[in-house]
């Protein structure tokens, strides 16, 4: 099972709903998506994202791949697989969820919360 999150860039003067309506209006499930041609700004932004995920997410190995329709990063390691697809004006995050009970709560805790909790429990 995965949790899927879509991020949308909202152009000035539009509401979130209007931005989503524009995306939905242009969606054709049978059509080939347009190729993503990242600009220098997209690549700079992507490099910053990769650097930050590698340093701060404590997510294990981070792999980046360029596909015709997106720049993709994938983490493999605790707490599990996370995939981020950067498609220009949108991004999609997919988080694999396979933990239950106490283990599930630990896997979703932020690194800061985990450290704070460990310090509290140690006292």
């Amino acid at each position: 099972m995965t949790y899927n999150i879509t991020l949308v860039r909202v152009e000035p003067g539009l509401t979130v709903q209007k931005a989503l309506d524009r995306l939905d209006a242009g969606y054709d499930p049978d059509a080939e998506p347009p190729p993503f041609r990242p600009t220098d700004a997209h690549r700079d932004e992507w490099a910053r994202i990769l650097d930050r995920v590698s340093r701060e997410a404590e997510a294990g190995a981070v792999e980046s791949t360029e596909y015709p329709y997106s720049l993709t990063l994938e983490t493999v390691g605790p707490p599990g697989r996370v995939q981020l697809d950067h498609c220009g004006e949108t991004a999609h995050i997919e988080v694999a969820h396979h933990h239950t009970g106490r283990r599930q709560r630990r896997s979703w805790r932020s690194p800061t919360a985990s450290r704070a909790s460990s310090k509290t429990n140690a006292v």
Side-chain angles (χ1 to χ4, degrees):
M1 178 168 128
T2 62
Y3 290 101
N4 298 300
I5 303 164
T6 299
L7 306 171
V8 177
R9 187 170 307 210
V10 178
E11 296 175 25
L14 291 181
T15 64
V16 171
Q17 188 59 54
K18 286 183 181 179
L20 291 173
D21 290 344
R22 281 186 177 185
L23 281 175
D24 289 343
Y27 179 71
D28 179 355
D30 297 322
E32 200 55 37
F36 175 50
R37 293 181 177 88
T39 64
D40 288 342
H42 287 131
R43 290 187 187 283
D44 290 345
E45 184 176 59
W46 190 245
R48 285 192 303 275
I49 290 168
L50 289 173
D51 181 56
R52 186 166 184 182
V53 170
S54 297
R55 281 184 295 119
E56 297 180 16
E58 297 179 17
V62 177
E63 298 175 5
S64 177
T65 307
E66 188 168 330
Y67 293 103
Y69 311 110
S70 68
L71 298 172
T72 298
L73 81 75
E74 186 171 18
T75 65
V76 181
R81 187 183 71 76
V82 175
Q83 180 175 321
L84 169 65
D85 297 309
H86 176 10
C87 308
E89 299 306 308
T90 62
H92 308 279
I93 302 171
E94 183 177 289
V95 180
H97 172 71
H98 57 274
H99 300 293
T100 59
R102 292 184 79 150
R103 202 168 155 207
Q104 179 231 345
R105 285 192 298 275
R106 280 196 312 258
S107 71
W108 283 95
R109 210 179 283 166
S110 73
T112 305
S114 295
R115 285 191 290 272
S117 176
S118 296
K119 289 177 185 174
T120 304
N121 293 337
V123 173

